[in-house]
Amino acid sequence: MRFLERFRSLPITDLVFFFLVSSLVWNLHRYVEPVPTSIFYPSFLLQFSLGFFPQLYQRKWGRVWTSASAITMVRLPFLSGIPMAGSYQLVGLFLGSILGIWVRETLLVLLGRNETALPKQSEQIITDWMIRNPTGKSNLPIWYATYFGFLFFILCLTILCFLRYQGFGIFTGLGIQEFLYYPSLSSREAMGLSCKILIPTTLVILYFFSEERSMPTPSKDSLSEQIRFGLFLGLGLNLFFMTIQSLWSLEFFSEGTHLSVSAGRTTGLFQDSGSASWILPVLGFLWVKKLTHVWRMSKERFSLVLAVFFFLLITWLGIKQGKAFWIIWGLTTSIWLVHFSTDLWIISNRTKLLTRIGLYVFLPVLGCLLMYGISLVPKEWDLVVLANRFILFLKSFPTNPSLAFQHLDLVRFELIRFANLGIQNSLWLGNGVGAFPLGILSLSRSGVETAIQFVDFPPTFYHWILYDLGILGSLVFLFYIGIFLWERGHWKQTILLLLPFLFGVQIQNADGAFVCFYLILLGEKGTGFSPSFDKYRKTIWFSPLLLILSLGLPLNYSLFDSQNYLALGMGSEYRKNELKEYQIAYTLPPKSPNFEYEFHGKHWEWKLVDSNAQRSGRIFLETNSKSSLVEIYFLNGERQRIKQELFAETKSGYVWSGDAPKGASYIRIHSRSKLEFRLPKSQFDGLGRIQF
């Protein structure tokens, strides 16, 4: 009976919610990246183990391992000699951590951790485990949490993304079809570009949500400190590998960093030099700041020596980093040194304020002189290149500002120009999540001729959010960020995000998403609820109003934005106006020597040719698969069924022969079981219409 009472006290709503969301993310990831299981699971299971077992063992060390792994494991398959299998999203790590959290909480409840008496001393292992993990349960309903609204918005964006790239076939009985989005890009691959942002963002938010829902007290202090400790541990590992790369070889542990090594940049264990160039100075600044704080509180010189050592080490490692590092590191350390030195040596508040103002005025002048001196160094370091470009920028800006920005960064200038045009074309609703890389891949490039030779995301976070979500979507996104900031009282903390967000879409990789959302959702101090938010939370009307806004804003945005996808058509007419031909919906294109299309699934629709001479004959589905029923439907222009017949089974597939009825415009093939069959390229005309 006691077990049944414990079972009733389980957080059933939480368990169901996190299981469903995790399952959706898992299925989405496997759909957009169908990596063979023999390649995918070794990396996935290793990540999963490093997330699941530490969380199961103890809440504290689970957080430490997860946060440390988030910035050290993104290139795990490359480092182990296995081809890339989506590891940059760390699906295994976060799903393992989330599952470990809720398995731990479930076992604690079922074993009676909430009861007064602990197990007997003879069961010392279980007793110690329960002492290490006091149970926690939030009294706030899950749908009143600010995380819930954010996840709902991401769900709406995912559905809109699905409709944009997959069409409405799932609503018309066709299921999820593999369309051709561009001549050399399938709809699945196009959707994968969007999921590079959607998947890591969802997983990181879901992980933080799980941690806070399982907290034993309302305080967020221990959660923030333990995750920050894990980040510092991961930073130390990255500094170690960066030092080896700088002293020995850039190619040491650098597999999978794309163009980073060829550009001469150290990456450590980060995703690439783009991640390293902003995560390194941000975490490095927090670590040096933490050490100096310990020194001021304890007066132990060892902490001060460590702070100076790591400041010099990070500065030296920054020689082989990109421009983002030096801008972030220079600004943050300069501002911090001004505040630190004035706090240390000036007592009077008035004198301190005047001194800071004078130093802030002097800093830009000092920065310009420093850049001029660096530009004279006869080296090919990125810092020297940045200094030379900065000098050209200063010389050209008074007469030609556009040319000046091109001197500063030509590629970024071209990306900004391309992004600005896309923003103007779809100002209010945006172009859809992940649309920017597709715009670059487009043959027309929206009428913009650029020198960009690679696929990339927008150059700044602000261009990304406006290009992809438009003004309305950006307001919804910023609404959730504002609620989080108000709830936790972290207004000052977000200053750390202003600089990283100026340098690209940092949430596209798991390491960047984890650091960004840690700073926003938890913050360095982890103060929990702000007094003003907590006061409103206790009222009757506030939480329901917040829930209505959290659900209503994304739904209204989705309602308006979904109208854009209705014009794309459905079935074989999907994107016909853009592609100038009907969709054949094949999985694999024709290849020599047989030149056959390969189809996978249960449902297909094709447009019929208009010529009567080519509407009579046979269709042979060459396959080794078996299905108890394969049917062919003939549909009119309104997609109403006017005839239905069966395929006959043969030794090597299924065959149908006959005439298309008068008035038939489309044919559909339905299979009771999943089929993998082939049709010759000659079965379709130049416009993608089927002919007999």
Side-chain angles (χ1 to χ4, degrees):
M1 189 67 181
R2 177 175 293 180
F3 180 80
L4 292 177
E5 293 176 356
R6 293 173 181 173
F7 185 80
R8 293 192 190 99
S9 64
L10 285 173
I12 301 296
T13 304
D14 290 19
L15 294 175
V16 172
F17 173 80
F18 285 100
F19 174 77
L20 289 178
V21 178
S22 299
S23 300
L24 288 173
V25 176
W26 164 257
N27 288 312
L28 177 63
H29 174 68
R30 290 299 289 153
Y31 172 70
V32 298
E33 293 203 30
V35 180
T37 56
S38 60
I39 297 177
F40 174 78
Y41 277 105
S43 169
F44 173 83
L45 292 176
L46 179 57
Q47 294 178 32
F48 186 90
S49 300
L50 291 177
F52 178 79
F53 291 107
Q55 288 284 359
L56 189 63
Y57 172 74
Q58 187 182 11
R59 181 180 287 111
K60 172 184 176 180
W61 287 107
R63 294 167 179 168
V64 171
W65 275 103
T66 300
S67 54
S69 300
I71 59 174
T72 57
M73 293 182 63
V74 287
R75 290 185 292 109
L76 176 65
F78 271 114
L79 301 181
S80 59
I82 302 175
M84 174 59 72
S87 71
Y88 58 85
Q89 295 169 337
L90 292 182
V91 176
L93 175 69
F94 290 119
L95 288 182
S97 297
I98 294 166
L99 181 62
I101 290 171
W102 292 109
V103 169
R104 181 190 68 219
E105 297 303 312
T106 301
L107 291 177
L108 286 171
V109 173
L110 294 180
L111 292 174
R113 179 64 179 86
N114 289 331
E115 299 172 8
T116 304
L118 287 172
K120 298 178 181 179
Q121 291 300 312
S122 59
E123 301 172 350
Q124 189 64 39
I125 295 178
I126 297 179
T127 303
D128 291 343
W129 179 66
M130 288 186 174
I131 292 174
R132 287 193 303 267
N133 296 288
T135 56
K137 180 181 178 182
S138 175
N139 295 323
L140 191 69
I142 199 167
W143 48 84
Y144 282 165
T146 47
Y147 286 98
F148 179 80
F150 210 150
L151 289 171
F152 181 76
F153 181 49
I154 296 176
L155 174 64
C156 291
L157 292 178
T158 305
I159 294 174
L160 291 173
C161 173
F162 177 85
L163 293 178
R164 181 186 178 206
Y165 298 119
Q166 305 294 156
F168 289 84
I170 195 171
F171 302 110
T172 58
L174 287 172
I176 301 176
Q177 293 251 278
E178 185 80 6
F179 287 120
L180 196 66
Y181 199 80
Y182 282 141
S184 59
L185 192 74
S186 71
S187 55
R188 184 193 305 234
E189 293 169 319
M191 188 173 176
L193 293 173
S194 299
C195 291
K196 281 195 68 175
I197 293 175
L198 292 173
I199 290 177
T201 299
T202 304
L203 285 173
V204 170
I205 293 175
L206 195 64
Y207 166 71
F208 285 132
F209 194 7
S210 298
E211 289 285 15
E212 291 199 10
R213 291 294 292 184
S214 62
M215 287 288 292
T217 65
S219 174
K220 305 295 188 299
D221 289 356
S222 59
L223 171 61
S224 178
E225 291 175 359
Q226 290 160 8
I227 290 181
R228 187 167 70 252
F229 177 77
L231 288 174
F232 288 158
L233 180 63
L235 173 66
L237 291 173
N238 276 286
L239 290 176
F240 174 73
F241 283 99
M242 283 182 172
T243 302
I244 296 177
Q245 291 168 352
S246 297
L247 293 176
W248 183 22
S249 172
L250 283 174
E251 297 182 356
F252 180 78
F253 264 50
S254 60
E255 292 288 335
T257 57
H258 308 300
L259 301 176
S260 301
V261 174
S262 61
R265 298 176 181 177
T266 56
T267 58
L269 298 176
F270 293 115
Q271 170 63 32
D272 50 30
S273 60
S275 294
S277 291
W278 79 267
I279 296 179
L280 177 63
V282 169
L283 293 184
F285 168 74
L286 293 179
W287 175 235
V288 173
K289 183 172 176 289
K290 177 69 174 178
L291 289 173
T292 53
H293 175 74
V294 172
W295 169 69
R296 293 192 64 183
M297 298 298 294
S298 63
K299 300 301 180 182
E300 293 183 2
R301 293 184 178 179
F302 181 70
S303 298
L304 179 61
V305 172
L306 279 180
V308 174
F309 169 76
F310 278 104
F311 175 81
L312 296 175
L313 175 64
I314 294 171
T315 304
W316 172 67
L317 292 175
I319 292 176
K320 292 186 177 181
Q321 294 298 323
K323 297 179 291 297
F325 172 87
W326 290 106
I327 296 175
I328 297 172
W329 186 243
L331 286 177
T332 53
T333 54
S334 298
I335 294 173
W336 174 76
L337 284 173
V338 168
H339 280 258
F340 176 75
S341 58
T342 52
D343 281 337
L344 192 63
W345 291 311
I346 300 177
I347 300 176
S348 171
N349 290 332
R350 182 175 180 275
T351 305
K352 186 185 300 182
L353 178 62
L354 293 175
T355 304
R356 287 177 177 175
I357 293 174
L359 290 174
Y360 287 144
V361 173
F362 176 69
L363 278 178
V365 178
L366 178 63
C368 291
L369 294 175
L370 183 62
M371 295 299 284
Y372 176 74
I374 294 174
S375 67
L376 302 177
V377 176
K379 295 288 186 179
E380 294 297 327
W381 297 336
D382 281 344
L383 179 59
V384 178
V385 174
L386 174 62
N388 289 323
R389 291 179 178 178
F390 181 75
I391 299 302
L392 286 175
F393 170 80
L394 292 180
K395 292 179 179 178
S396 304
F397 187 80
T399 57
N400 193 337
S402 177
L403 180 62
F405 281 106
Q406 292 184 55
H407 285 315
L408 193 62
D409 193 327
L410 177 60
V411 174
R412 190 174 296 271
F413 176 81
E414 294 288 339
L415 289 172
I416 289 176
R417 190 162 66 94
F418 186 80
N420 288 339
L421 182 63
I423 292 171
Q424 295 172 10
N425 293 337
S426 187
L427 181 61
W428 290 100
L429 297 174
N431 299 278
V433 176
F436 190 86
L438 279 176
I440 294 179
L441 286 172
S442 173
L443 298 177
S444 64
R445 290 201 173 186
S446 301
V448 178
E449 295 295 333
T450 71
I452 304 170
Q453 300 298 323
F454 54 89
V455 177
D456 201 354
F457 281 88
T460 71
F461 174 83
Y462 310 106
H463 281 90
W464 165 74
I465 193 172
L466 285 173
Y467 186 97
D468 285 11
L469 304 181
I471 293 178
L472 296 181
S474 299
L475 291 176
V476 177
F477 187 91
L478 295 176
F479 165 77
Y480 290 113
I481 297 297
I483 291 297
F484 274 115
L485 298 179
W486 182 22
E487 182 183 35
R488 290 156 173 77
H490 288 163
W491 296 108
K492 294 182 180 180
Q493 185 71 18
T494 55
I495 295 175
L496 294 172
L497 286 175
L498 295 179
L499 286 173
F501 274 2
L502 280 172
F503 298 94
V505 188
Q506 306 302 341
I507 59 176
Q508 65 177 290
N509 297 323
D511 51 5
F514 191 88
V515 175
C516 283
F517 283 108
Y518 160 73
L519 294 173
I520 279 188
L521 305 184
L522 298 179
E524 185 185 1
K525 297 181 180 179
T527 53
F529 291 124
S530 65
S532 61
F533 190 90
D534 198 29
K535 180 182 69 174
Y536 284 111
R537 176 75 85 181
K538 295 176 181 178
T539 62
I540 299 176
W541 57 270
F542 182 76
S543 292
L545 176 62
L546 191 61
L547 176 63
I548 292 172
L549 291 174
S550 298
L551 299 180
L553 291 175
L555 286 176
N556 278 279
Y557 172 77
S558 303
L559 179 64
F560 288 115
D561 191 54
S562 61
Q563 307 302 312
N564 297 330
Y565 308 139
L566 294 174
L568 295 176
M570 63 181 68
S572 57
E573 292 180 334
Y574 178 69
R575 283 181 56 81
K576 178 182 179 296
N577 292 333
E578 289 84 356
L579 297 177
K580 309 303 180 185
E581 63 182 44
Y582 292 93
Q583 288 281 3
I584 301 178
Y586 57 82
T587 303
L588 297 177
K591 296 180 180 179
S592 177
N594 297 322
F595 294 101
E596 292 177 324
Y597 292 105
E598 186 169 317
F599 300 86
H600 296 181
K602 295 182 179 181
H603 311 281
W604 301 268
E605 177 190 284
W606 299 305
K607 174 71 174 176
L608 270 168
V609 294
D610 297 328
S611 173
N612 292 328
Q614 296 172 308
R615 294 162 64 96
S616 177
R618 75 175 199 142
I619 300 176
F620 176 65
L621 311 180
E622 181 187 351
T623 178
N624 295 323
S625 305
K626 296 296 181 182
S627 177
S628 59
L629 182 68
V630 181
E631 299 176 285
I632 182 171
Y633 300 153
F634 291 91
L635 313 175
N636 61 16
E638 286 73 35
R639 286 186 169 79
Q640 297 173 344
R641 192 183 307 174
I642 57 179
K643 188 179 181 181
Q644 174 181 350
E645 293 186 5
L646 295 176
F647 274 81
E649 185 175 355
T650 67
K651 290 183 179 180
S652 55
Y654 297 86
V655 64
W656 169 89
S657 59
D659 300 327
K662 185 178 180 180
S665 298
Y666 308 93
I667 67 169
R668 284 188 183 178
I669 294 180
H670 286 227
S671 171
R672 182 168 293 176
S673 304
K674 185 176 180 180
L675 282 184
E676 297 181 8
F677 64 88
R678 291 162 295 281
L679 285 175
K681 186 177 181 181
S682 59
Q683 193 85 59
F684 300 89
D685 69 359
L687 294 179
R689 298 175 297 186
I690 191 167
Q691 54 192 4
F692 303 158

